[in-house]
Short mmCIF file of all heavy atoms in Angstrom, two decimals:
data_model
loop_
_atom_site.label_atom_id
_atom_site.label_comp_id
_atom_site.label_asym_id
_atom_site.label_seq_id
_atom_site.Cartn_x
_atom_site.Cartn_y
_atom_site.Cartn_z
N MET B 246 8.22 -7.59 6.11
CA MET B 246 7.43 -8.07 5.03
C MET B 246 6.81 -6.77 4.33
O MET B 246 6.13 -6.00 4.96
CB MET B 246 6.38 -8.99 5.52
CG MET B 246 5.23 -9.26 4.44
SD MET B 246 4.03 -10.38 5.02
CE MET B 246 2.82 -10.44 3.76
N ARG B 247 7.09 -6.62 3.12
CA ARG B 247 6.59 -5.50 2.33
C ARG B 247 5.70 -5.90 1.29
O ARG B 247 6.06 -6.67 0.47
CB ARG B 247 7.79 -4.70 1.80
CG ARG B 247 7.28 -3.38 1.07
CD ARG B 247 8.53 -2.57 0.65
NE ARG B 247 9.29 -2.07 1.67
CZ ARG B 247 9.02 -0.89 2.31
NH1 ARG B 247 7.95 -0.19 1.91
NH2 ARG B 247 9.77 -0.33 3.23
N LEU B 248 4.47 -5.40 1.33
CA LEU B 248 3.43 -5.73 0.33
C LEU B 248 3.76 -4.90 -0.93
O LEU B 248 3.92 -3.66 -0.91
CB LEU B 248 2.08 -5.52 0.93
CG LEU B 248 1.80 -6.40 2.08
CD1 LEU B 248 0.35 -6.13 2.56
CD2 LEU B 248 1.89 -7.90 1.81
N ALA B 249 3.45 -5.48 -2.03
CA ALA B 249 3.52 -4.70 -3.28
C ALA B 249 2.08 -4.17 -3.58
O ALA B 249 1.06 -4.77 -3.29
CB ALA B 249 3.86 -5.64 -4.40
N LEU B 250 2.10 -2.91 -4.00
CA LEU B 250 0.85 -2.22 -4.31
C LEU B 250 0.90 -1.67 -5.64
O LEU B 250 1.96 -1.14 -6.09
CB LEU B 250 0.79 -1.09 -3.29
CG LEU B 250 -0.69 -0.39 -3.33
CD1 LEU B 250 -1.79 -1.36 -2.94
CD2 LEU B 250 -0.73 0.82 -2.37
N GLN B 251 -0.01 -1.93 -6.43
CA GLN B 251 0.05 -1.55 -7.86
C GLN B 251 -0.71 -0.22 -8.09
O GLN B 251 -0.34 0.60 -8.99
CB GLN B 251 -0.63 -2.57 -8.78
CG GLN B 251 0.35 -3.89 -8.79
CD GLN B 251 -0.38 -4.81 -9.84
OE1 GLN B 251 -1.52 -5.16 -9.87
NE2 GLN B 251 0.57 -5.44 -10.68
N TYR B 252 -1.86 0.02 -7.38
CA TYR B 252 -2.54 1.23 -7.71
C TYR B 252 -2.82 2.12 -6.44
O TYR B 252 -3.01 1.52 -5.32
CB TYR B 252 -3.92 0.78 -8.24
CG TYR B 252 -3.83 0.04 -9.56
CD1 TYR B 252 -3.84 -1.30 -9.63
CD2 TYR B 252 -3.66 0.75 -10.84
CE1 TYR B 252 -3.81 -2.05 -10.78
CE2 TYR B 252 -3.51 0.02 -12.03
CZ TYR B 252 -3.60 -1.30 -11.96
OH TYR B 252 -3.50 -2.00 -13.05
N CYS B 253 -2.71 3.37 -6.59
CA CYS B 253 -3.07 4.26 -5.48
C CYS B 253 -4.55 4.15 -5.18
O CYS B 253 -5.39 4.22 -6.12
CB CYS B 253 -2.73 5.70 -5.97
SG CYS B 253 -3.25 6.86 -4.67
N PRO B 254 -4.87 3.98 -3.94
CA PRO B 254 -6.28 3.79 -3.59
C PRO B 254 -6.97 5.10 -3.63
O PRO B 254 -8.29 5.06 -3.50
CB PRO B 254 -6.15 3.22 -2.14
CG PRO B 254 -4.88 3.68 -1.50
CD PRO B 254 -3.97 3.68 -2.85
N TYR B 255 -6.35 6.16 -3.74
CA TYR B 255 -6.98 7.44 -3.87
C TYR B 255 -7.25 7.96 -5.20
O TYR B 255 -8.35 8.51 -5.59
CB TYR B 255 -6.21 8.60 -3.10
CG TYR B 255 -6.03 8.19 -1.62
CD1 TYR B 255 -4.88 7.52 -1.10
CD2 TYR B 255 -7.08 8.45 -0.73
CE1 TYR B 255 -4.84 7.20 0.22
CE2 TYR B 255 -7.07 8.03 0.64
CZ TYR B 255 -5.82 7.51 1.11
OH TYR B 255 -5.74 7.18 2.37
N CYS B 256 -6.23 7.87 -6.16
CA CYS B 256 -6.35 8.46 -7.47
C CYS B 256 -6.27 7.43 -8.51
O CYS B 256 -6.51 7.63 -9.74
CB CYS B 256 -5.45 9.60 -7.68
SG CYS B 256 -3.71 9.07 -7.86
N GLY B 257 -5.72 6.19 -8.14
CA GLY B 257 -5.67 5.06 -9.13
C GLY B 257 -4.33 5.10 -10.01
O GLY B 257 -4.16 4.31 -10.82
N GLU B 258 -3.43 5.99 -9.55
CA GLU B 258 -2.16 6.15 -10.38
C GLU B 258 -1.34 4.94 -9.91
O GLU B 258 -1.53 4.35 -8.91
CB GLU B 258 -1.48 7.34 -10.03
CG GLU B 258 -1.92 8.57 -10.93
CD GLU B 258 -1.58 8.39 -12.30
OE1 GLU B 258 -0.53 7.74 -12.70
OE2 GLU B 258 -2.41 8.73 -13.15
N GLN B 259 -0.38 4.57 -10.84
CA GLN B 259 0.49 3.43 -10.50
C GLN B 259 1.88 3.85 -10.19
O GLN B 259 2.73 3.09 -9.89
CB GLN B 259 0.62 2.43 -11.81
CG GLN B 259 -0.77 1.92 -12.22
CD GLN B 259 -0.64 1.07 -13.45
OE1 GLN B 259 0.04 0.05 -13.39
NE2 GLN B 259 -1.36 1.48 -14.55
N ASP B 260 2.09 5.16 -10.02
CA ASP B 260 3.42 5.63 -9.71
C ASP B 260 3.61 5.71 -8.11
O ASP B 260 3.52 6.82 -7.55
CB ASP B 260 3.69 6.96 -10.40
CG ASP B 260 5.17 7.43 -10.44
OD1 ASP B 260 5.96 6.59 -9.91
OD2 ASP B 260 5.52 8.47 -10.82
N LEU B 261 3.83 4.60 -7.60
CA LEU B 261 3.86 4.58 -6.10
C LEU B 261 5.34 4.31 -5.69
O LEU B 261 6.09 3.62 -6.33
CB LEU B 261 3.01 3.45 -5.59
CG LEU B 261 1.60 3.46 -5.98
CD1 LEU B 261 0.83 2.21 -5.44
CD2 LEU B 261 0.93 4.78 -5.55
N ARG B 262 5.68 5.06 -4.60
CA ARG B 262 7.08 4.95 -4.12
C ARG B 262 7.02 4.42 -2.69
O ARG B 262 6.27 5.04 -1.83
CB ARG B 262 7.76 6.35 -4.09
CG ARG B 262 7.48 7.11 -5.40
CD ARG B 262 8.31 6.57 -6.60
NE ARG B 262 8.02 7.25 -7.84
CZ ARG B 262 8.35 8.45 -8.23
NH1 ARG B 262 9.14 9.17 -7.36
NH2 ARG B 262 7.96 8.92 -9.29
N PRO B 263 7.89 3.47 -2.36
CA PRO B 263 7.88 2.97 -1.01
C PRO B 263 8.56 3.95 -0.11
O PRO B 263 9.52 4.56 -0.58
CB PRO B 263 8.68 1.66 -1.03
CG PRO B 263 9.44 1.80 -2.37
CD PRO B 263 8.68 2.63 -3.21
N ARG B 264 8.16 4.11 1.17
CA ARG B 264 8.70 5.04 2.10
C ARG B 264 9.35 4.35 3.25
O ARG B 264 8.81 3.26 3.59
CB ARG B 264 7.66 6.00 2.58
CG ARG B 264 7.19 6.98 1.54
CD ARG B 264 6.34 8.02 2.20
NE ARG B 264 6.83 8.50 3.31
CZ ARG B 264 6.65 9.73 3.94
NH1 ARG B 264 5.73 10.46 3.34
NH2 ARG B 264 7.17 10.17 5.06
N GLU B 265 10.43 4.81 3.70
CA GLU B 265 11.03 4.15 4.84
C GLU B 265 10.36 4.47 6.24
O GLU B 265 10.42 3.66 7.08
CB GLU B 265 12.59 4.57 4.93
CG GLU B 265 13.40 4.26 3.67
CD GLU B 265 13.45 2.70 3.55
OE1 GLU B 265 13.46 2.07 4.65
OE2 GLU B 265 13.37 2.22 2.49
N ASP B 266 9.72 5.62 6.25
CA ASP B 266 9.06 5.94 7.49
C ASP B 266 7.74 6.56 7.17
O ASP B 266 7.70 7.57 6.42
CB ASP B 266 9.98 6.97 8.22
CG ASP B 266 9.37 7.34 9.52
OD1 ASP B 266 8.90 6.43 10.32
OD2 ASP B 266 9.34 8.48 9.91
N PRO B 267 6.68 6.10 7.76
CA PRO B 267 6.63 4.94 8.57
C PRO B 267 6.78 3.59 7.80
O PRO B 267 6.68 3.58 6.57
CB PRO B 267 5.22 5.01 9.18
CG PRO B 267 4.40 5.72 8.14
CD PRO B 267 5.33 6.66 7.54
N GLN B 268 7.20 2.56 8.42
CA GLN B 268 7.52 1.28 7.84
C GLN B 268 6.27 0.76 7.04
O GLN B 268 5.15 0.77 7.60
CB GLN B 268 8.05 0.29 8.83
CG GLN B 268 8.46 -0.92 8.17
CD GLN B 268 9.11 -1.87 9.20
OE1 GLN B 268 8.98 -1.75 10.38
NE2 GLN B 268 9.88 -2.90 8.59
N GLY B 269 6.49 0.37 5.94
CA GLY B 269 5.36 -0.19 5.09
C GLY B 269 4.49 0.78 4.40
O GLY B 269 3.51 0.45 3.88
N ALA B 270 4.93 2.05 4.43
CA ALA B 270 4.14 3.10 3.86
C ALA B 270 4.45 3.24 2.43
O ALA B 270 5.65 3.06 1.93
CB ALA B 270 4.31 4.45 4.63
N TRP B 271 3.53 3.73 1.68
CA TRP B 271 3.77 4.05 0.30
C TRP B 271 3.25 5.46 -0.03
O TRP B 271 2.30 5.93 0.53
CB TRP B 271 2.98 3.11 -0.65
CG TRP B 271 3.50 1.74 -0.59
CD1 TRP B 271 3.27 0.73 0.37
CD2 TRP B 271 4.29 1.06 -1.63
NE1 TRP B 271 3.85 -0.43 0.06
CE2 TRP B 271 4.47 -0.29 -1.13
CE3 TRP B 271 4.78 1.50 -2.76
CZ2 TRP B 271 5.30 -1.19 -1.86
CZ3 TRP B 271 5.59 0.53 -3.49
CH2 TRP B 271 5.83 -0.67 -3.06
N GLU B 272 3.96 6.15 -0.94
CA GLU B 272 3.60 7.45 -1.28
C GLU B 272 3.26 7.51 -2.77
O GLU B 272 4.06 7.02 -3.60
CB GLU B 272 4.69 8.44 -0.98
CG GLU B 272 4.35 9.86 -1.41
CD GLU B 272 5.38 10.84 -1.01
OE1 GLU B 272 5.92 10.88 0.16
OE2 GLU B 272 5.81 11.63 -1.89
N CYS B 273 2.13 8.08 -3.05
CA CYS B 273 1.71 8.25 -4.47
C CYS B 273 2.39 9.50 -5.06
O CYS B 273 2.31 10.60 -4.47
CB CYS B 273 0.25 8.34 -4.59
SG CYS B 273 -0.33 8.70 -6.27
N ALA B 274 3.14 9.32 -6.11
CA ALA B 274 3.79 10.43 -6.75
C ALA B 274 2.94 11.37 -7.42
O ALA B 274 3.33 12.49 -7.71
CB ALA B 274 4.87 9.88 -7.77
N ASP B 275 1.66 11.02 -7.66
CA ASP B 275 0.72 11.86 -8.38
C ASP B 275 -0.09 12.74 -7.47
O ASP B 275 -0.15 13.94 -7.65
CB ASP B 275 -0.23 10.99 -9.17
CG ASP B 275 -0.98 11.70 -10.17
OD1 ASP B 275 -0.32 12.36 -11.02
OD2 ASP B 275 -2.20 11.84 -10.08
N CYS B 276 -0.64 12.17 -6.41
CA CYS B 276 -1.52 12.87 -5.57
C CYS B 276 -0.89 13.08 -4.17
O CYS B 276 -1.48 13.77 -3.31
CB CYS B 276 -2.97 12.26 -5.40
SG CYS B 276 -2.90 10.73 -4.47
N ARG B 277 0.29 12.61 -4.00
CA ARG B 277 1.12 12.89 -2.84
C ARG B 277 0.44 12.27 -1.51
O ARG B 277 0.79 12.65 -0.41
CB ARG B 277 1.36 14.34 -2.57
CG ARG B 277 1.89 15.09 -3.77
CD ARG B 277 3.19 14.48 -4.25
NE ARG B 277 4.22 14.68 -3.33
CZ ARG B 277 5.50 14.23 -3.55
NH1 ARG B 277 5.80 13.61 -4.64
NH2 ARG B 277 6.44 14.36 -2.65
N SER B 278 -0.45 11.35 -1.67
CA SER B 278 -1.02 10.66 -0.62
C SER B 278 -0.11 9.61 -0.10
O SER B 278 0.57 8.94 -0.84
CB SER B 278 -2.38 10.03 -0.98
OG SER B 278 -3.34 11.06 -1.36
N THR B 279 -0.07 9.51 1.28
CA THR B 279 0.79 8.40 1.94
C THR B 279 -0.22 7.50 2.59
O THR B 279 -1.12 7.91 3.34
CB THR B 279 1.75 9.07 2.82
OG1 THR B 279 2.58 9.96 2.09
CG2 THR B 279 2.60 7.94 3.55
N PHE B 280 -0.03 6.24 2.40
CA PHE B 280 -0.83 5.24 3.07
C PHE B 280 0.05 4.03 3.52
O PHE B 280 0.97 3.76 2.90
CB PHE B 280 -2.00 4.80 2.14
CG PHE B 280 -1.57 4.68 0.71
CD1 PHE B 280 -1.19 3.50 0.23
CD2 PHE B 280 -1.61 5.80 -0.05
CE1 PHE B 280 -0.66 3.35 -1.10
CE2 PHE B 280 -1.25 5.63 -1.53
CZ PHE B 280 -0.82 4.49 -1.92
N VAL B 281 -0.54 3.38 4.47
CA VAL B 281 0.18 2.22 5.00
C VAL B 281 -0.75 0.97 4.84
O VAL B 281 -1.95 1.00 5.17
CB VAL B 281 0.48 2.44 6.58
CG1 VAL B 281 1.11 1.13 7.08
CG2 VAL B 281 1.26 3.65 6.79
N LEU B 282 -0.04 -0.06 4.32
CA LEU B 282 -0.78 -1.31 4.11
C LEU B 282 -0.67 -2.10 5.37
O LEU B 282 0.41 -2.29 5.99
CB LEU B 282 -0.14 -2.18 3.00
CG LEU B 282 -0.24 -1.47 1.62
CD1 LEU B 282 0.35 -2.35 0.58
CD2 LEU B 282 -1.69 -1.15 1.29
N THR B 283 -1.75 -2.62 5.85
CA THR B 283 -1.85 -3.52 7.05
C THR B 283 -2.21 -4.91 6.60
O THR B 283 -3.35 -5.12 6.02
CB THR B 283 -2.82 -3.02 7.95
OG1 THR B 283 -2.58 -1.62 8.32
CG2 THR B 283 -2.87 -3.83 9.23
N PRO B 284 -1.33 -5.82 6.68
CA PRO B 284 -1.73 -7.23 6.30
C PRO B 284 -2.86 -7.78 7.14
O PRO B 284 -2.83 -7.57 8.38
CB PRO B 284 -0.45 -8.05 6.64
CG PRO B 284 0.71 -6.96 6.71
CD PRO B 284 0.02 -5.73 7.14
N VAL B 285 -3.80 -8.35 6.52
CA VAL B 285 -4.92 -8.88 7.26
C VAL B 285 -4.99 -10.41 6.99
O VAL B 285 -4.97 -10.85 5.81
CB VAL B 285 -6.23 -8.26 6.79
CG1 VAL B 285 -7.40 -8.96 7.46
CG2 VAL B 285 -6.18 -6.75 7.00
N PRO B 286 -4.96 -11.29 8.10
CA PRO B 286 -5.05 -12.67 7.86
C PRO B 286 -6.33 -13.09 7.09
O PRO B 286 -7.37 -12.53 7.38
CB PRO B 286 -5.03 -13.27 9.28
CG PRO B 286 -5.39 -12.10 10.23
CD PRO B 286 -5.01 -10.89 9.45
N ALA B 287 -6.12 -14.04 6.30
CA ALA B 287 -7.36 -14.53 5.57
C ALA B 287 -8.21 -15.33 6.47
O ALA B 287 -7.89 -15.90 7.50
CB ALA B 287 -6.85 -15.53 4.44
N PRO B 288 -9.55 -15.20 6.20
CA PRO B 288 -10.53 -15.85 7.10
C PRO B 288 -10.35 -17.41 6.96
O PRO B 288 -10.01 -17.92 6.02
CB PRO B 288 -11.89 -15.45 6.54
CG PRO B 288 -11.55 -14.97 5.21
CD PRO B 288 -10.18 -14.41 5.17
N ALA B 289 -10.50 -17.93 8.23
CA ALA B 289 -10.31 -19.46 8.18
C ALA B 289 -11.59 -20.11 7.51
O ALA B 289 -12.59 -19.60 7.62
CB ALA B 289 -10.23 -19.88 9.67
N ARG B 290 -11.18 -21.19 6.89
CA ARG B 290 -12.34 -21.82 6.13
C ARG B 290 -12.46 -23.34 6.69
O ARG B 290 -11.50 -23.97 6.92
CB ARG B 290 -12.05 -21.96 4.61
CG ARG B 290 -12.12 -20.60 4.03
CD ARG B 290 -11.86 -20.77 2.44
NE ARG B 290 -11.94 -19.36 1.87
CZ ARG B 290 -11.78 -19.25 0.55
NH1 ARG B 290 -11.72 -20.26 -0.23
NH2 ARG B 290 -11.82 -18.14 -0.03
N GLY B 291 -13.62 -23.74 6.81
CA GLY B 291 -13.80 -25.18 7.13
C GLY B 291 -13.75 -25.44 8.59
O GLY B 291 -13.90 -26.62 9.06
N ASN B 292 -13.59 -24.29 9.44
CA ASN B 292 -13.51 -24.49 10.76
C ASN B 292 -14.77 -23.99 11.51
O ASN B 292 -15.13 -22.80 11.39
CB ASN B 292 -12.41 -23.87 11.42
CG ASN B 292 -11.10 -24.53 11.05
OD1 ASN B 292 -11.03 -25.77 10.80
ND2 ASN B 292 -9.99 -23.72 10.75
N PRO B 293 -15.61 -24.81 12.13
CA PRO B 293 -16.84 -24.30 12.79
C PRO B 293 -16.56 -23.43 13.88
O PRO B 293 -15.50 -23.47 14.49
CB PRO B 293 -17.58 -25.60 13.22
CG PRO B 293 -16.41 -26.70 13.39
CD PRO B 293 -15.40 -26.24 12.38
ZN1 LIG H 1133 -2.55 8.92 -5.76
#
């Protein structure tokens, strides 16, 4: 599962390139930062 990312969390640029290693990592073409998205389950609602 690969998540789409629109903006670099560091510089706000939109020129992001998916990387093969590590898996799920993205590299910003502008500031060269590499970051990995970690899916977080949504909080449960309505359950005490
Ligand atoms: Zn960036």
Side-chain angles (χ1 to χ4, degrees):
M246 171 177 171
R247 184 178 288 277
L248 298 178
L250 188 64
Q251 289 190 313
Y252 298 97
C253 172
Y255 296 101
C256 71
E258 277 294 326
Q259 298 179 63
D260 194 2
L261 304 179
R262 315 284 172 80
R264 290 188 48 157
E265 294 299 323
D266 182 47
Q268 187 175 16
W271 293 78
E272 180 178 309
C273 175
D275 192 62
C276 69
R277 311 301 295 180
S278 295
T279 302
F280 38 91
V281 178
L282 295 183
T283 303
V285 178
R290 294 185 181 183
N292 293 326

